[in-house]
Amino acid sequence: MSEQFEQINPPARLLMGPGPINADPRVLRAMSAQLLGQYDPAMTGYMNETMALYRQVFKTENQWTLLIDGTSRAGIESVLVSVIEPGDKVLIPIFGRFGHLLNEIATRCGADVHTIETEWGAVFTPEQIEEAIIKVRPKLLAIVQGDTSTTMLQPLEELGAICRRYDVLFYSDATASIGGNPFETDGWGLDAVSVGLQKCLAGPSGSAPVTLSSRYVDEVRKRHHIEAGIRDGHHTEGQGSMIRSNYFDMPMILDYWGEERLNHHTEATSMLYCARECARILMQEGLEQSIARHQLHGSAMAQGLAAMNLVLFGDQTHKMNNIVGVYIPDGVAGEAVRSTLLQDFGIEIGTSFGPLKGKIWRIGTMGYNARKDAVLITLSALENVLRRMGHKCTAGAGVDAAMAVYSGQ
């Protein structure tokens, strides 16, 4: 007899970790819309609207602003595997787990990877990065803007001009930061950016918006390839080496999103609806308003945690608006606290990785969960758990400190 399974009915959770977060209900409703054929004019119309919306999200005029079907890592891999040819020099500044991820992917692409590292909880100065560029002379600078493993936000404003000075392509993964922190693709001179939906964009993981400058597109077009089964007489091949991934071949993806709609894959229709709605909601609120909202609720969370006799982690002048790290107090079992929060209160907070594993918690206020009630409920529940586990703090101090932030005191 076959095993019987019930309909999926997930437990109610308030996801206050580093992501994913609870998706905005409007996004979930958009995902339930009926499917369309991939060349239906309504479908290609939604694709064009999605491109237009994400130009606003990325603050760019880039024509090639589109979706890679897959998680945020798919966006990273598509950008890197398409531009890196074996032996190309790539410079990666690492200040947390996701700098190591860029290193991992670039290495798999056959790059000659050079890294600089700083301690987790710090960021790089422009001078440090320029010095490394002068030494390495890379084809590409690849860097994370916001690394949730450390909660730090790497300043990018001066890096574009540095990269132009030395003829270096400039790529950033902004998955954890965009929508909740300032980001200006054109203003900061970026050539490629990739993100995901599961942080400040208030959606689920599964689609990776990217934007690509003409410099980047000209470079990857040198490796343009068209599959034999769909090639016509007017198509021409690039002169560079074939990109080592079919699925993540950016020039072929551009052909699919371009006017010719040259077949590459079947678009993930429900995720396109999802990504479009994430961007629509963000632009309806306004970018500056969204950043201010994340800053307000992030500050209330941080001040509330500090008032509970907890020590904040890292350089607070370079902390992301939407996540805070806090040291696990001596004598408190960090995983027991997380488990109790989840089982008794239905609230999830995060631990960390690498040198910070078991040393800090990471608590997010992002996307749909960057709101007052979520902050106050989380602080109240965490205080209750901590006091029952022997941590010394004044009852109500966390919520009172957060309320002081909300009242402007």
Side-chain angles (χ1 to χ4, degrees), residues 104-121:
E104 164 89 12
I105 294 173
T107 299
R108 287 174 179 261
C109 295
D112 176 12
V113 180
H114 297 256
T115 63
I116 55 175
E117 296 192 42
T118 189
E119 64 179 335
W120 290 28

Side-chain angles (χ1 to χ4, degrees), residues 361-408:
W361 294 309
R362 296 174 299 151
I363 303 176
T365 47
M366 59 183 84
Y368 183 66
N369 291 349
R371 61 182 200 268
K372 185 176 182 180
D373 64 306
V375 170
L376 298 180
I377 290 167
T378 301
L379 288 170
S380 179
L382 179 59
E383 178 203 286
N384 180 277
V385 174
L386 285 172
R387 286 196 295 110
R388 286 191 288 120
M389 291 191 176
H391 178 66
K392 302 298 183 183
C393 62
T394 302
V399 169
D400 286 346
M403 292 296 285
V405 172
Y406 288 129
S407 64

Side-chain angles (χ1 to χ4, degrees), residues 13-25 198-203 293-294 296-298 301 322 346-348 363-378 406:
R13 302 291 194 222
L14 178 60
L15 302 179
M16 298 298 286
I21 48 79
N22 299 93
D24 191 301
Q198 71 273 21
K199 313 280 185 176
C200 301
L201 293 179
R293 172 170 58 88
H294 282 85
L296 172 66
H297 297 301
M301 179 66 80
N322 50 297
I347 299 173
E348 179 180 275
I363 303 176
T365 47
M366 59 183 84
Y368 183 66
N369 291 349
R371 61 182 200 268
K372 185 176 182 180
D373 64 306
V375 170
L376 298 180
I377 290 167
T378 301
Y406 288 129

Side-chain angles (χ1 to χ4, degrees), residues 29-55 65-67 207 256-257 261 267-280:
R29 285 196 291 270
M31 293 178 72
S32 69
Q34 187 54 267
L35 302 183
L36 291 168
Q38 60 180 326
Y39 300 116
D40 188 308
M43 179 63 180
T44 55
Y46 289 143
M47 292 172 73
N48 290 338
E49 290 173 2
T50 301
M51 296 173 81
L53 282 164
Y54 276 96
R55 290 187 192 106
T65 303
L66 47 97
L67 304 178
S207 183
Y256 179 61
W257 281 79
R261 302 290 177 189
E267 180 59 25
T269 310
S270 297
M271 286 308 302
L272 182 134
Y273 297 163
C274 166
R276 179 186 178 279
E277 185 67 359
C278 287
R280 189 196 68 80

Side-chain angles (χ1 to χ4, degrees), residues 179-353:
N181 305 267
F183 193 93
E184 300 191 20
T185 300
D186 291 355
W188 297 348
L190 283 126
D191 291 299
V193 185
S194 66
V195 302
L197 305 180
Q198 71 273 21
K199 313 280 185 176
C200 301
L201 293 179
S205 177
S207 183
V210 302
T211 188
L212 312 170
S213 75
S214 58
R215 288 180 78 223
Y216 175 93
V217 172
D218 288 346
E219 187 65 28
V220 299
R221 284 286 195 195
K222 296 174 184 177
R223 307 176 72 188
H224 191 211
H225 169 73
I226 299 172
E227 295 172 8
I230 58 174
R231 189 183 304 149
D232 288 332
H234 68 280
H235 291 135
T236 58
E237 293 281 286
Q239 299 304 306
S241 63
M242 185 183 290
I243 292 167
R244 293 189 171 190
S245 170
N246 176 286
Y247 188 73
F248 293 132
D249 185 311
M250 192 69 79
M252 292 204 298
I253 295 170
L254 300 185
D255 287 343
Y256 179 61
W257 281 79
E259 290 185 8
E260 191 173 6
R261 302 290 177 189
L262 195 59
N263 183 263
H264 177 253
H265 64 284
T266 301
E267 180 59 25
T269 310
S270 297
M271 286 308 302
L272 182 134
Y273 297 163
C274 166
R276 179 186 178 279
E277 185 67 359
C278 287
R280 189 196 68 80
I281 291 169
L282 175 58
M283 300 320 300
Q284 183 182 61
E285 178 181 9
L287 265 176
E288 298 307 315
Q289 291 80 2
S290 177
I291 292 167
R293 172 170 58 88
H294 282 85
Q295 185 175 38
L296 172 66
H297 297 301
S299 178
M301 179 66 80
Q303 293 301 313
L305 293 168
M308 290 161 55
N309 195 26
L310 297 171
V311 178
L312 303 184
F313 169 78
D315 179 356
Q316 295 301 296
T317 61
H318 290 293
K319 186 186 79 65
M320 282 188 282
N321 289 332
N322 50 297
I323 187 168
V324 60
V326 60
Y327 284 101
I328 299 170
D330 291 340
V332 171
E335 287 304 295
V337 169
R338 292 181 65 238
S339 177
T340 303
L341 266 178
L342 189 67
Q343 297 304 319
D344 290 352
F345 294 92
I347 299 173
E348 179 180 275
I349 63 172
T351 182
S352 192
F353 311 101

